[in-house]
Amino acid sequence: MKTKGWLIYEEKHAEKNKAFIEWFLGEANELGIKLDFILQSRISFGIQNNELVILLDQESIDSPDFVIMRNIDPLFNEQLERMRIPCFNSHHVSLICNDKARTHQYLAGKGISMLETYFTTADELLTGNRPLPFPFVIKTRTGRGGGDVYKVEDLQQLEAVHDQLSTRSIIAQPLAGIPGKDLRVYVLGREIVGAVLRSNQKSFKANFTLGGQAEAYSLTEEELNVVNKIIEQFDFGLVGIDFLFDEDGRLLFNEIEDVVGCRTLCITSNINIVKLYLEFILQKLSTGETFT
Ligand SMILES: Nc1ncnc2c1ncn2[C@@H]1O[C@H](COP(=O)(O)OP(=O)(O)O)[C@@H](O)[C@H]1O
Ligand SMILES: [Mg+2]
């Protein structure tokens, strides 16, 4: 019987990623996988008659053999796993990595360099409880794409950012040594598949979606060691591990993208990341490694 999978997106994200979704469906077909593209909004989940349940269009369904979750909802990832449906990425990866505070907390003390980081709110900083001198960077715990990241140089700028964020949970950090530059390392399971250096001359934020540049990057031995230390802490499917640079050009851990975009990898390499990901999933399913 054919392996059956679901590829789940929410509507807005799906619109922007049509080509990527088509690519998934095409490669799945080549590999003999029946992969269905499903919007999260068609799914309900919870408990029925004391049992965990997932409904599609309000109907009960045959469970898929695996799910590729390209939406951020760790509670759903956990529901799948509790129903013994392997989910990529796992609920643990989704829960930790979609929260910048949790990610820093989880990786601290494990020999991975990262900036001094505080978990706070703009309210708290404005009332004078500021563990860092100006200038510093603040960002919401759950922000993506650079939209909720601010450089704050003085009280006036803090007040302006406070208007935006007030009581939202944020992290605060000093400015990294080399602003406007960061490194994304694409990881599949325990393997590093590629690395992309992203830079922006016009902003301290290197996000590609904000108009940054991207180029292929070869990791040094020392950098490989750092990435491998992070890989050891998780059971990843496909993720992007992002780093800032200190003033000596050394890696500082920044964040892990659970629902990682692959555009920069595609334009800087010939790696067929989608095929590799599906093959990785088939391999995991065949060895029954998904629930160890
Ligand atoms: N502490 C910092 N110092 C300097 N630049 C930073 C710092 N934090 C983030 N940046 C820059 O801002 C960009 C976006 O921040 P990031 O933490 O990656 O949030 P997002 O999840 O929105 O991408 C980073 O890629 C980096 O270029
Ligand atoms: Mg980022």
Side-chain angles (χ1 to χ4, degrees), residues 79-90:
Q79 181 95 357
L80 290 164
E81 286 172 17
R82 288 183 179 277
M83 293 176 72
R84 314 288 298 168
I85 302 168
C87 181
F88 301 91
N89 290 315
S90 69

Side-chain angles (χ1 to χ4, degrees), residues 11-289:
E11 201 151 359
K12 232 167 68 199
H13 199 208
E15 279 295 312
K16 289 193 203 138
N17 287 281
K18 271 191 182 139
F20 194 56
I21 293 166
E22 286 305 319
W23 186 9
F24 257 109
L25 301 180
E27 293 291 347
N29 200 33
E30 294 277 313
L31 290 168
I33 301 169
K34 185 181 176 315
L35 187 66
D36 289 325
F37 164 67
I38 292 182
L39 285 178
Q40 184 88 51
S41 56
R42 292 177 56 199
I43 294 174
S44 317
F45 68 103
I47 291 103
Q48 229 179 40
N49 306 320
N50 283 327
E51 299 284 345
L52 295 172
V53 68
I54 294 175
L55 305 176
L56 183 64
D57 304 324
Q58 293 85 49
E59 308 272 348
S60 34
I61 35 97
D62 289 339
S63 294
D65 300 309
F66 70 91
V67 168
I68 299 171
M69 180 65 171
R70 298 287 294 177
N71 187 26
I72 298 170
D73 184 358
L75 189 68
F76 183 65
N77 296 43
E78 180 157 3
Q79 181 95 357
L80 290 164
E81 286 172 17
R82 288 183 179 277
M83 293 176 72
R84 314 288 298 168
I85 302 168
C87 181
F88 301 91
N89 290 315
S90 69
H91 112 265
H92 179 252
V93 169
S94 175
L95 188 72
I96 302 286
C97 301
N98 289 304
D99 180 332
K100 295 184 203 302
R102 275 188 197 281
T103 315
H104 281 82
Q105 190 180 55
Y106 184 78
L107 289 177
K110 293 181 174 148
I112 299 154
S113 298
M114 59 180 81
L115 286 168
E116 183 182 357
T117 299
Y118 296 96
F119 312 143
T120 181
T121 62
D123 251 4
E124 190 73 14
L125 295 175
L126 199 57
T127 54
N129 185 5
R130 286 194 289 279
L132 284 168
F134 293 113
F136 50 78
V137 171
I138 65 183
K139 35 193 171 179
T140 59
R141 283 168 57 180
T142 54
R144 301 187 69 210
D148 283 331
V149 179
Y150 303 88
K151 184 161 69 177
V152 181
E153 304 194 65
D154 51 32
L155 205 53
Q156 207 181 348
Q157 289 186 1
L158 182 58
E159 276 163 5
V161 173
H162 177 264
D163 288 346
Q164 307 284 320
L165 303 180
S166 64
T167 59
R168 284 182 70 188
S169 230
I170 59 170
I171 68 170
Q173 306 178 317
L175 206 57
I178 309 180
K181 216 175 217 198
D182 83 356
L183 179 70
R184 167 160 297 170
V185 181
Y186 285 88
V187 168
L188 186 52
R190 303 202 150 260
E191 305 295 325
I192 296 169
V193 287
V196 179
L197 186 68
R198 305 180 302 176
S199 54
N200 195 326
Q201 310 279 353
K202 298 193 190 112
S203 165
F204 78 100
K205 300 186 232 181
N207 301 73
F208 189 67
T209 42
L210 298 180
Q213 309 283 308
E215 58 189 287
Y217 185 89
S218 291
L219 296 163
T220 64
E221 203 62 35
E222 190 184 334
E223 290 166 347
L224 284 171
N225 285 337
V226 177
V227 177
N228 282 321
K229 272 190 201 165
I230 297 170
I231 291 175
E232 282 166 21
Q233 301 301 327
F234 290 94
D235 185 10
F236 287 135
L238 176 66
V239 295
I241 306 180
D242 294 354
F243 297 91
L244 304 167
F245 293 95
D246 72 11
E247 48 287 343
D248 301 320
R250 290 217 174 81
L251 297 187
L252 289 169
F253 169 74
N254 184 39
E255 64 171 337
I256 301 171
E257 289 290 350
D258 160 33
V259 181
V260 63
C262 294
R263 277 188 192 86
T264 56
L265 184 68
C266 293
I267 59 176
T268 57
S269 76
N270 297 319
I271 296 164
N272 188 336
I273 190 68
V274 168
K275 183 169 183 209
L276 290 177
Y277 196 12
L278 290 168
E279 285 173 344
F280 165 85
I281 291 171
L282 287 178
Q283 173 72 19
K284 278 265 185 187
L285 296 178
S286 73
T287 55
E289 256 182 73

